[in-house]
Amino acid sequence: MLETFEQAALEAGKAILRVYRSDCAVSLKQDLSPVTIADERAEQIILAHLSKEFPDIPVIAEESVSAGHVPDVRGKSFFLVDPLDGTREFVEHRDEFTVNIAYIKDGIPVTGIVYAPAIGVAFVADDRKAERLVVGKDFEITERLPIRVRERPENLLALASRCNGNARTDDFLAENAVSACTSIGSSLKFCLLAEGKADVYPRFSRTMEWDTAAGDAVLRAAGGTTVMTDGQPLRYGKTDQSHDADFANPSFICWGGKSAAVA
Protein backbone atom coordinates (compact mmCIF):
# COMPACT_ATOMS: atom_id res chain seq x y z
CA MET A 1 0.00 0.00 0.00
CA LEU A 2 2.74 2.49 0.89
CA GLU A 3 4.34 2.03 -2.51
CA THR A 4 1.07 3.10 -4.13
CA PHE A 5 0.87 6.09 -1.80
CA GLU A 6 4.39 7.13 -2.76
CA GLN A 7 3.76 6.80 -6.50
CA ALA A 8 0.49 8.73 -6.27
CA ALA A 9 1.95 11.49 -4.10
CA LEU A 10 5.03 11.98 -6.26
CA GLU A 11 2.96 12.19 -9.41
CA ALA A 12 0.51 14.58 -7.77
CA GLY A 13 3.37 16.71 -6.46
CA LYS A 14 4.82 16.97 -9.95
CA ALA A 15 1.48 18.24 -11.26
CA ILE A 16 1.20 20.71 -8.38
CA LEU A 17 4.62 22.18 -9.06
CA ARG A 18 3.72 22.82 -12.70
CA VAL A 19 0.88 25.03 -11.50
CA TYR A 20 2.96 26.54 -8.68
CA ARG A 21 5.53 27.80 -11.15
CA SER A 22 2.92 29.41 -13.38
CA ASP A 23 0.10 31.88 -12.87
CA CYS A 24 -2.37 30.16 -10.60
CA ALA A 25 -6.08 30.89 -10.69
CA VAL A 26 -7.70 30.74 -7.24
CA SER A 27 -11.38 30.36 -6.42
CA LEU A 28 -13.29 30.02 -3.15
CA LYS A 29 -15.31 27.03 -2.00
CA GLN A 30 -18.58 27.36 -0.11
CA ASP A 31 -16.72 27.55 3.21
CA LEU A 32 -14.60 30.41 1.73
CA SER A 33 -11.40 28.37 1.78
CA PRO A 34 -9.25 28.72 -1.34
CA VAL A 35 -8.97 26.07 -4.03
CA THR A 36 -6.81 25.99 -7.16
CA ILE A 37 -6.53 23.91 -10.30
CA ALA A 38 -3.55 22.25 -8.57
CA ASP A 39 -5.84 20.82 -5.85
CA GLU A 40 -8.16 19.39 -8.48
CA ARG A 41 -5.47 17.90 -10.71
CA ALA A 42 -3.64 16.36 -7.77
CA GLU A 43 -6.80 14.77 -6.40
CA GLN A 44 -7.65 13.25 -9.79
CA ILE A 45 -4.19 11.66 -9.95
CA ILE A 46 -4.38 10.25 -6.42
CA LEU A 47 -7.89 8.87 -6.85
CA ALA A 48 -6.86 7.15 -10.09
CA HIS A 49 -4.02 5.33 -8.29
CA LEU A 50 -6.17 4.33 -5.32
CA SER A 51 -9.11 3.12 -7.40
CA LYS A 52 -6.81 1.04 -9.59
CA GLU A 53 -4.98 -0.69 -6.74
CA PHE A 54 -7.69 -0.74 -4.05
CA PRO A 55 -11.08 -0.53 -5.79
CA ASP A 56 -13.01 -1.81 -2.77
CA ILE A 57 -11.68 0.71 -0.23
CA PRO A 58 -13.73 3.93 -0.04
CA VAL A 59 -11.97 7.28 -0.29
CA ILE A 60 -12.81 10.49 1.53
CA ALA A 61 -11.05 13.20 -0.49
CA GLU A 62 -11.34 16.92 0.20
CA GLU A 63 -12.38 18.20 -3.22
CA SER A 64 -14.73 15.27 -3.83
CA VAL A 65 -16.45 15.92 -0.51
CA SER A 66 -16.84 19.58 -1.49
CA ALA A 67 -18.53 18.37 -4.68
CA GLY A 68 -20.92 16.17 -2.69
CA HIS A 69 -19.25 12.79 -3.27
CA VAL A 70 -19.11 11.25 0.21
CA PRO A 71 -19.02 7.44 0.44
CA ASP A 72 -20.31 5.75 3.58
CA VAL A 73 -17.30 4.70 5.68
CA ARG A 74 -19.09 3.80 8.90
CA GLY A 75 -17.56 0.60 10.26
CA LYS A 76 -15.10 0.40 7.36
CA SER A 77 -11.43 0.98 6.67
CA PHE A 78 -10.96 3.88 4.27
CA PHE A 79 -8.55 6.38 2.74
CA LEU A 80 -8.33 10.08 3.57
CA VAL A 81 -6.87 12.37 0.90
CA ASP A 82 -5.90 16.03 1.00
CA PRO A 83 -4.37 16.63 -2.44
CA LEU A 84 -2.94 20.03 -1.46
CA ASP A 85 -2.73 20.80 2.23
CA GLY A 86 -1.69 24.37 2.84
CA THR A 87 -3.41 25.96 -0.13
CA ARG A 88 -2.88 29.38 1.45
CA GLU A 89 0.86 28.71 1.57
CA PHE A 90 0.69 27.60 -2.06
CA VAL A 91 -1.17 30.73 -3.15
CA GLU A 92 1.24 32.98 -1.24
CA HIS A 93 4.24 31.13 -2.70
CA ARG A 94 5.50 29.65 0.55
CA ASP A 95 6.92 26.18 0.00
CA GLU A 96 5.30 24.43 3.00
CA PHE A 97 2.29 22.92 1.18
CA THR A 98 1.96 19.13 1.09
CA VAL A 99 0.22 16.16 -0.49
CA ASN A 100 -1.46 13.97 2.15
CA ILE A 101 -2.71 10.39 1.79
CA ALA A 102 -3.66 8.15 4.73
CA TYR A 103 -5.24 4.77 5.38
CA ILE A 104 -7.59 4.53 8.36
CA LYS A 105 -8.21 1.22 10.11
CA ASP A 106 -10.49 0.96 13.14
CA GLY A 107 -10.46 4.73 13.45
CA ILE A 108 -6.66 4.96 13.54
CA PRO A 109 -4.31 6.28 10.82
CA VAL A 110 -1.91 3.39 10.25
CA THR A 111 -0.32 4.17 6.87
CA GLY A 112 0.38 7.58 5.39
CA ILE A 113 2.51 9.92 3.34
CA VAL A 114 3.10 13.65 3.63
CA TYR A 115 4.98 14.97 0.60
CA ALA A 116 6.26 18.54 0.32
CA PRO A 117 7.12 18.78 -3.40
CA ALA A 118 8.57 22.31 -3.32
CA ILE A 119 10.97 21.28 -0.54
CA GLY A 120 11.83 17.85 -1.95
CA VAL A 121 11.03 15.84 1.18
CA ALA A 122 8.38 13.33 2.16
CA PHE A 123 7.48 11.57 5.39
CA VAL A 124 5.94 8.11 5.42
CA ALA A 125 4.50 5.71 7.95
CA ASP A 126 3.72 2.03 7.65
CA ASP A 127 3.70 -0.91 10.03
CA ARG A 128 4.69 1.32 12.99
CA LYS A 129 7.78 2.56 11.14
CA ALA A 130 8.34 6.18 10.13
CA GLU A 131 10.84 7.50 7.57
CA ARG A 132 11.94 10.78 6.05
CA LEU A 133 12.43 10.55 2.28
CA VAL A 134 14.65 12.76 0.17
CA VAL A 135 13.12 13.35 -3.26
CA GLY A 136 15.30 14.43 -6.17
CA LYS A 137 14.49 16.91 -8.92
CA ASP A 138 13.43 14.03 -11.16
CA PHE A 139 10.81 13.03 -8.52
CA GLU A 140 12.69 9.89 -7.58
CA ILE A 141 13.33 8.92 -3.96
CA THR A 142 17.08 9.16 -3.36
CA GLU A 143 17.31 8.46 0.37
CA ARG A 144 15.26 6.91 3.19
CA LEU A 145 16.05 7.84 6.77
CA PRO A 146 14.32 6.38 9.84
CA ILE A 147 12.89 9.01 12.17
CA ARG A 148 11.82 9.01 15.82
CA VAL A 149 10.43 11.55 18.25
CA ARG A 150 12.88 12.92 20.79
CA GLU A 151 12.68 12.63 24.55
CA ARG A 152 10.70 15.50 25.95
CA PRO A 153 13.03 18.22 27.29
CA GLU A 154 12.38 20.42 30.30
CA ASN A 155 11.70 23.43 28.08
CA LEU A 156 9.44 22.56 25.19
CA LEU A 157 9.63 23.77 21.62
CA ALA A 158 6.13 24.15 20.19
CA LEU A 159 4.80 24.36 16.66
CA ALA A 160 1.79 26.43 15.74
CA SER A 161 -0.28 27.07 12.66
CA ARG A 162 0.80 30.21 10.83
CA CYS A 163 -2.79 31.08 9.92
CA ASN A 164 -4.84 29.75 12.84
CA GLY A 165 -3.32 30.86 16.12
CA ASN A 166 -5.62 32.09 18.91
CA ALA A 167 -5.73 33.05 22.58
CA ARG A 168 -6.32 29.46 23.67
CA THR A 169 -3.11 28.42 21.94
CA ASP A 170 -1.24 31.24 23.68
CA ASP A 171 -2.62 30.10 27.06
CA PHE A 172 -1.57 26.51 26.41
CA LEU A 173 1.97 27.57 25.56
CA ALA A 174 2.20 29.69 28.70
CA GLU A 175 0.91 26.86 30.92
CA ASN A 176 3.21 24.14 29.56
CA ALA A 177 6.73 25.56 29.95
CA VAL A 178 7.10 26.23 26.25
CA SER A 179 10.34 28.13 25.72
CA ALA A 180 9.84 28.87 22.01
CA CYS A 181 7.21 28.53 19.31
CA THR A 182 7.74 28.19 15.58
CA SER A 183 4.94 28.86 13.08
CA ILE A 184 4.69 26.66 10.01
CA GLY A 185 1.89 25.78 7.61
CA SER A 186 0.31 22.48 6.56
CA SER A 187 0.77 19.01 8.05
CA LEU A 188 4.54 19.43 8.20
CA LYS A 189 4.03 20.26 11.88
CA PHE A 190 3.27 16.59 12.59
CA CYS A 191 6.39 15.58 10.69
CA LEU A 192 8.73 17.94 12.52
CA LEU A 193 7.54 16.41 15.77
CA ALA A 194 8.04 12.94 14.30
CA GLU A 195 11.66 13.60 13.39
CA GLY A 196 12.47 15.08 16.79
CA LYS A 197 12.74 18.75 15.87
CA ALA A 198 9.97 19.94 18.20
CA ASP A 199 7.93 18.69 21.15
CA VAL A 200 4.29 19.76 20.97
CA TYR A 201 1.72 21.06 18.51
CA PRO A 202 -1.55 22.32 20.02
CA ARG A 203 -4.46 22.93 17.67
CA PHE A 204 -7.51 24.73 19.04
CA SER A 205 -9.04 25.81 15.76
CA ARG A 206 -11.00 23.78 13.24
CA THR A 207 -9.44 21.11 11.05
CA MET A 208 -10.84 18.29 8.94
CA GLU A 209 -9.71 14.68 9.07
CA TRP A 210 -8.02 14.86 5.66
CA ASP A 211 -5.91 17.75 6.97
CA THR A 212 -4.42 15.68 9.79
CA ALA A 213 -4.59 11.93 9.08
CA ALA A 214 -1.38 11.44 7.07
CA GLY A 215 0.75 13.56 9.39
CA ASP A 216 -0.83 11.90 12.39
CA ALA A 217 0.05 8.48 10.98
CA VAL A 218 3.69 9.56 10.67
CA LEU A 219 3.77 10.99 14.19
CA ARG A 220 2.24 7.91 15.79
CA ALA A 221 4.58 5.58 13.90
CA ALA A 222 7.52 7.66 15.13
CA GLY A 223 6.45 7.26 18.76
CA GLY A 224 4.32 10.36 19.26
CA THR A 225 0.69 10.82 20.21
CA THR A 226 -2.29 12.90 19.12
CA VAL A 227 -4.91 13.39 21.81
CA MET A 228 -8.07 15.40 22.29
CA THR A 229 -8.36 17.84 25.18
CA ASP A 230 -9.73 15.05 27.39
CA GLY A 231 -6.55 13.04 26.82
CA GLN A 232 -8.18 10.40 24.61
CA PRO A 233 -6.58 9.56 21.23
CA LEU A 234 -7.93 11.46 18.23
CA ARG A 235 -10.01 9.10 16.11
CA TYR A 236 -11.04 9.16 12.45
CA GLY A 237 -14.25 8.41 10.59
CA LYS A 238 -16.32 10.84 12.68
CA THR A 239 -19.76 11.06 11.05
CA ASP A 240 -23.23 12.05 12.22
CA GLN A 241 -21.78 14.73 14.48
CA SER A 242 -24.56 16.89 15.90
CA HIS A 243 -22.18 19.75 16.72
CA ASP A 244 -20.19 19.86 13.47
CA ALA A 245 -19.86 18.50 9.96
CA ASP A 246 -18.87 14.93 9.17
CA PHE A 247 -15.10 14.38 9.40
CA ALA A 248 -14.49 17.59 11.37
CA ASN A 249 -11.90 17.27 14.14
CA PRO A 250 -12.21 18.59 17.67
CA SER A 251 -9.35 20.49 19.26
CA PHE A 252 -6.28 18.30 19.74
CA ILE A 253 -2.69 18.28 20.96
CA CYS A 254 0.20 16.42 19.35
CA TRP A 255 3.10 15.34 21.55
CA GLY A 256 6.53 14.04 20.73
CA GLY A 257 8.17 11.75 23.29
CA LYS A 258 6.02 10.27 26.03
CA SER A 259 2.40 11.37 26.29
CA ALA A 260 1.49 13.86 28.97
CA ALA A 261 -1.56 15.08 30.79
CA VAL A 262 -3.17 17.98 29.04
CA ALA A 263 -3.20 21.27 30.90
Side-chain angles (χ1 to χ4, degrees), residues 16-183:
I16 288 169
L17 286 184
R18 290 196 196 101
V19 179
Y20 188 57
R21 292 165 180 162
S22 63
D23 291 332
C24 175
V26 182
S27 58
L28 295 178
K29 293 186 281 190
Q30 287 186 342
D31 63 1
L32 301 183
S33 60
V35 61
T36 73
I37 190 66
D39 300 71
E40 296 162 356
R41 289 177 181 173
E43 184 162 303
Q44 291 170 1
I45 290 167
I46 294 166
L47 293 181
H49 279 272
L50 295 180
S51 64
K52 178 182 177 182
E53 299 297 332
F54 308 101
D56 297 326
I57 300 178
V59 184
I60 300 297
E62 180 178 14
E63 306 311 326
S64 295
V65 170
S66 294
H69 304 302
V70 188
D72 184 3
V73 299
R74 288 173 292 186
K76 303 175 183 177
S77 297
F78 64 100
F79 296 121
L80 277 165
V81 173
D82 189 344
L84 179 49
D85 184 39
T87 303
R88 288 184 176 88
E89 281 75 17
F90 178 89
V91 170
E92 296 172 8
H93 275 264
R94 296 195 300 264
D95 290 349
E96 299 159 5
F97 56 87
T98 61
V99 178
N100 297 350
I101 310 171
Y103 175 60
I104 309 301
K105 183 178 181 180
D106 297 326
I108 298 170
V110 295
T111 305
I113 182 167
V114 175
Y115 173 39
I119 301 173
V121 298
F123 298 86
V124 298
D126 192 31
D127 194 26
R128 299 182 182 180
K129 179 179 69 175
E131 294 179 320
R132 182 182 193 271
L133 312 183
V134 179
V135 181
K137 293 182 179 180
D138 58 355
F139 299 94
E140 295 291 332
I141 297 167
T142 61
E143 193 171 7
R144 294 178 180 269
L145 304 168
I147 57 174
R148 193 77 182 165
V149 296
R150 69 187 185 187
E151 290 295 320
R152 192 173 304 171
E154 182 176 349
N155 296 312
L156 303 178
L157 172 60
L159 300 172
S161 172
R162 177 176 281 117
C163 301
N164 294 285
N166 53 35
R168 192 175 178 190
T169 302
D170 294 339
D171 291 343
F172 175 89
L173 300 179
E175 293 166 1
N176 284 272
V178 174
S179 60
C181 181
T182 298
S183 295

